[in-house]
Amino acid sequence: MQHTRLGYWIEEAGEVEPAPPLAAERSADVLVVGGGFTGLWTAWHLRQLEPEARVVVLESEAVCGRGPSGRNGGFCNGMWLSAASLRERWGDQAALAICRAAADGVERIGAFCEEQGVDAWWRPAGYLQTSTTPAHDGAWERALAACRELGVPEAIVPLSPAEVQARCQSPAFRAGAVCPDAATVQPARLALGIRRRLLEEGVEIFESSPVRGLRAAPGGVEARTEGGAVRAERAVLAIGAAAKGRRGPLRGQLTVASSHIVLTEPVPEVLEQIGWTGGDAITDCRSLLDYFRTTPDGRIAFGWGGGRIAFGARTRGRSELDRAVIEATAAHLYDYFPALRGRRLTHAWGGPIDASPTHLPTVTSLPGDRAFAAAGYTGNGVGPSNMVARTLASLALDRRDDASRLAFVDGASPRVPPEPFHWIGGEAIRLGILAKEEAEMAGRAPGKVASAVAKIPELIGFHIGR
Ligand SMILES: Cc1cc2nc3c(=O)[nH]c(=O)nc-3n(C[C@H](O)[C@H](O)[C@H](O)COP(=O)(O)OP(=O)(O)OC[C@H]3O[C@@H](n4cnc5c(N)ncnc54)[C@H](O)[C@@H]3O)c2cc1C
């Protein structure tokens, strides 16, 4: 098995000519810092809303989309499974508005691929959540009830154990629920597809251009890189987990955790045998989630969100490649699908996750109201980044519209403690949840200490699951 920093998707998407680094002083109407999905979609929405807007994107990696955006599981779903949390936080109307905006975002991604000729393996599919232990039976009930009460009962469909097995057979699966309006994508192809269209539309992209500082300047903001500077009327900071390392409001709202993926060799005959041919993107119901999907050539990409908590903002090292986590991820895969024993795993990789205490993304105005930052997808950013980017584009253009009024804009969020308390507490809670969930999976009663520690987030108003 090849352990690679950038992962299979980026390799599969092929080489592209990097854009040059910023090497001069530039001006723009809107500066976007970060070329992951949030930044790329923001640039795209900006140009859709104002085709004449001068938009500059600065990306620190050699090519956009090489962070988590090009390495993730490719689950492209809305936020219906978060409906109960959204409602609890902001009330019915706000929750419904966000869920509908997220669903529109997913649709927009599909339409973008089709209309713009981007082959990102867009495959409409169900987003299936299944219980794998009696302790998790009905984990979807809160979200299901919320959707019913919000008048959208079709958003989540409960499934009996037989109905789950009919979509994909596994000895681990029990009952479940499916969100029908989801899809899977090849995320690196999608990121490169947006990047290509932006360049064709005349958006200026500078790669290998890490922004060292963003500060207020007369009439706007100025960002500096090693080789130059961009002065713009407004800026959008879309740097994902790296926001934890920058001064500003997001630092105190994020935890950097990690997620890892293993990829099988093509196993189309196994997929046939277990009836997993409808393309469903599947997760279990654990807080430290297992997630898995198929590819057009019959591989399984299997991920686990149980990686360690990073100290502060360390988005490299074990946040990207952690051999122990990769081994655990592979072991989970074989538990779900024993028919894969003896089949080769070809690739393994991982990446940082920007986790928020509420499990919901957040958009924050930076001092001066000339710059806006977003992060906190907590492992669910492929679909929602399009919605959040639409909001960021509205804010950057100073539009007072539905997108700029979504409740996650400047919605107060609980704060995480400073280091080292944050890391010590975060790791203790992760290990507590891990021990509790492993005991539940093995049919054992979880230990008292693990159960008590795993309950801490709930007691302090944090959501580790949705
Ligand atoms: C292994 C893994 C699996 C996942 N699976 C899924 C999934 O199946 N479905 C899902 O919805 N979500 C998933 N996620 C989460 C999802 O990938 C993220 O939520 C999403 O990609 C976030 O996009 P972003 O643009 O906000 O951040 P990023 O993708 O992190 O992009 C931020 C960009 O900013 C750049 N940057 C950072 N600092 C600077 C700087 N100073 N100057 C300039 N540029 C900078 C980075 O290089 C990066 O390109 C997964 C994540 C991981 C790691």
Side-chain angles (χ1 to χ4, degrees), residues 102-133:
D104 282 351
V106 171
E107 257 179 51
R108 272 197 301 261
I109 297 171
F112 170 87
C113 291
E114 192 177 327
E115 288 159 15
Q116 305 300 325
V118 169
D119 177 8
W121 300 357
W122 171 263
R123 182 173 186 186
Y127 176 64
L128 168 60
Q129 194 183 47
T130 174
S131 152
T132 50
T133 158

Side-chain angles (χ1 to χ4, degrees), residues 179-251:
C179 297
D181 295 332
T184 53
V185 292
Q186 203 286 35
R189 282 174 169 247
L190 179 59
L192 288 183
I194 311 167
R195 174 188 179 275
R196 172 174 62 78
R197 289 294 297 114
L198 289 174
L199 288 169
E200 287 165 358
E201 293 278 325
V203 169
E204 286 191 286
I205 299 180
F206 297 96
E207 292 170 329
S208 301
S209 301
V211 169
R212 307 260 185 245
L214 184 70
R215 60 183 179 90
V221 283
E222 186 183 73
R224 289 221 147 260
T225 67
E226 202 178 288
V230 177
R231 200 170 262 212
E233 278 179 34
R234 309 265 163 145
V236 165
L237 197 61
I239 57 174
K244 175 81 185 162
R246 301 195 76 86
R247 256 180 296 153
L250 283 177
R251 172 181 273 182

Side-chain angles (χ1 to χ4, degrees), residues 9 73-75 125-132 164 168-170 172-173 183-184 260-262 264 271 274 276 279-286 289-295 299-305 329 332-337 340 441:
W9 306 128
F75 283 48
Y127 176 64
L128 168 60
Q129 194 183 47
T130 174
S131 152
T132 50
V164 172
C168 176
Q169 287 164 37
S170 162
F173 294 169
T184 53
H260 283 72
I261 294 179
V262 296
T264 68
L271 299 182
I274 61 178
W276 189 11
D280 279 347
I282 307 178
T283 73
D284 67 359
C285 300
R286 290 197 283 181
L289 198 77
D290 284 326
Y291 54 95
F292 28 105
R293 48 80 56 97
T294 56
T295 65
R299 295 168 187 264
I300 297 173
F302 186 100
W304 182 46
T329 308
H332 293 189
L333 165 71
Y334 295 120
D335 288 345
Y336 284 97
F337 303 115
L340 288 174
M441 299 291 289

Side-chain angles (χ1 to χ4, degrees), residues 33-40 58-61 63-77 209-212 238-242 246 258-261 291 316 319 349-354 374-375 377-385:
V33 183
F37 284 141
T38 305
L40 293 169
L58 296 177
E59 163 57 41
S60 62
E61 291 266 351
V63 176
C64 291
R66 290 200 167 170
S69 290
R71 301 189 213 167
N72 58 66
F75 283 48
C76 185
N77 47 271
S209 301
V211 169
R212 307 260 185 245
I239 57 174
R246 301 195 76 86
S258 85
S259 199
H260 283 72
I261 294 179
Y291 54 95
R316 292 281 162 99
S319 292
W349 69 94
I353 295 281
D354 47 331
Y377 296 103
T378 319
N380 296 292
V382 176
S385 60

Side-chain angles (χ1 to χ4, degrees), residues 393-432:
S394 278
L395 291 167
L397 295 173
D398 206 15
R399 293 199 172 198
R400 314 285 154 97
D401 57 13
D402 289 348
S404 69
R405 279 190 285 267
L406 289 170
F408 52 67
V409 180
D410 289 325
S413 167
R415 297 182 68 76
V416 299
E419 299 296 5
F421 308 106
H422 166 250
W423 178 77
I424 295 168
E427 265 299 281
I429 290 168
R430 182 183 78 92
L431 293 171

